Amino acid sequence: EWKWKPHFGSSRAASEGFCGASFFFLVMKVINSQEFVKIPKGVEVEVSGRVVKVTGKYGTLERNFRHLPVVIEKYGKKQTVLKVEIWFGLSKHLACMRTVCSHIENMFTGVMKKFEYKQRLVYSHFPINVNILNGGKTVEIRNYLGEKCVRTVMMYPGVTCRKSEQTKDELIIEGVDIDNTSMSAAKIHQSCLCKKKDIRKFLDGIYECESGTVDKD
C-alpha cells in the first residue's frame, strides 16, 4: 500500500529553487509481515492480548508488548510456535517486530538456562573488599582506592550475587531476566568508576570478564 506523506523544505526542493515549498513523496506500507519463534520443550507459554507469560525450569517471566502494534499468538497444530504479526507496517514497525521476537527468545533462555555475569575485582595497591548481604540481594564495596565510604549496591528483583568459589576476587551475578541481571552487573561496575583521575593509570574497579548462562549447552 502506498501513502502520500508531506515533506517541507528538503534539500531537493532547495536545489531546484523551491525553498520552503512543500511537496509529497511516497511511503510504502507492507500489507502483512510475520515472524515465528519456536517454543522450546519444557517451557509453557501463555499469551493474553500482547502480554506474554513464560514458565520454565528457573521460574516465570512476564512481559507486556501493548505499546507495539503487533499481534502475538500461538501457531500450528500442536501450538509449538509463537507467531508475531504486523498489518500495514512501516519499516520502523517491522524492526519492532524482530525486537519482540528477540525479547521472547531471551525470556525462553532465562527460564530454561538462567543468565550469568562474571566480574573481577581489579586493584593495584588498595585491595577492594566486597561483602554480600541479604541473601545476595545487597553488595557492599569497601576500600576502593583507599576511600572510607561504603558503596552499597542493591540488586534488581530476581537477581542474586555471590562470590566465586574457584576464582579469587570474582563475583557472579545470576538471574532469570536478562534486563535485570545485566543492569545489576552494570550498577556494580558503575559504583566503582574512577573520578577526576587519569583512567590510563588508575585502573582499579570491578569489570565484567564473562557473560552467558548457568546451564551450558
Side-chain angles (χ1 to χ4, degrees), residues 60-78:
T60 301
L61 287 177
E62 184 175 314
R63 191 157 191 142
N64 191 335
F65 298 103
R66 287 179 178 166
H67 60 288
L68 296 173
V70 296
V71 178
I72 306 175
E73 60 185 2
K74 289 185 178 180
Y75 184 77
K77 293 183 179 180
K78 296 184 179 180

Side-chain angles (χ1 to χ4, degrees), residues 35-53:
E35 289 277 354
F36 297 92
V37 181
K38 186 177 180 181
I39 302 175
K41 292 183 179 179
V43 176
E44 297 180 2
V45 179
E46 298 178 16
V47 180
S48 176
R50 281 171 283 181
V51 178
V52 180
K53 185 177 181 181

Side-chain angles (χ1 to χ4, degrees), residues 196-209:
K196 299 182 180 179
K197 292 182 175 65
D198 188 354
I199 60 175
R200 297 172 295 179
K201 175 66 177 177
F202 294 87
L203 302 175
D204 294 26
I206 301 178
Y207 299 94
E208 180 183 332
C209 62

Side-chain angles (χ1 to χ4, degrees), residues 5 23 31-33 38 46 61 63 75 85 93-94 106 117 128-129 137 150-151 161 173 185:
K5 185 176 181 180
F23 62 96
I31 295 176
N32 180 257
S33 185
K38 186 177 180 181
E46 298 178 16
L61 287 177
R63 191 157 191 142
Y75 184 77
E85 188 176 28
H93 298 148
L94 302 183
N106 286 332
Y117 286 78
I128 301 174
N129 300 323
K137 302 285 187 182
V150 179
R151 292 167 167 83
C161 180
I173 299 97

Side-chain angles (χ1 to χ4, degrees), residues 132-139 153-156 159-162:
I132 299 176
L133 310 173
N134 196 18
K137 302 285 187 182
T138 306
V139 178
V153 181
M154 304 294 294
M155 298 293 100
Y156 282 92
V159 181
T160 58
C161 180
R162 61 183 176 88

Side-chain angles (χ1 to χ4, degrees), residues 61-146:
L61 287 177
E62 184 175 314
R63 191 157 191 142
N64 191 335
F65 298 103
R66 287 179 178 166
H67 60 288
L68 296 173
V70 296
V71 178
I72 306 175
E73 60 185 2
K74 289 185 178 180
Y75 184 77
K77 293 183 179 180
K78 296 184 179 180
Q79 303 284 293
T80 57
V81 176
L82 273 183
K83 181 175 72 171
V84 181
E85 188 176 28
I86 285 184
W87 290 87
F88 302 103
L90 297 171
S91 59
K92 289 186 178 180
H93 298 148
L94 302 183
C96 292
M97 182 177 61
R98 183 60 246 174
T99 301
V100 171
C101 295
S102 298
H103 283 313
I104 295 175
E105 289 171 353
N106 286 332
M107 292 168 68
F108 291 159
T109 304
V111 298
M112 287 178 59
K113 301 179 181 180
K114 205 172 192 179
F115 291 102
E116 178 184 69
Y117 286 78
K118 294 183 179 180
Q119 294 182 318
R120 297 293 299 272
L121 311 181
V122 179
Y123 51 85
S124 58
H125 181 72
F126 296 101
I128 301 174
N129 300 323
V130 173
N131 295 327
I132 299 176
L133 310 173
N134 196 18
K137 302 285 187 182
T138 306
V139 178
E140 285 187 352
I141 303 168
R142 302 172 185 269
N143 201 39
Y144 173 69
L145 292 178

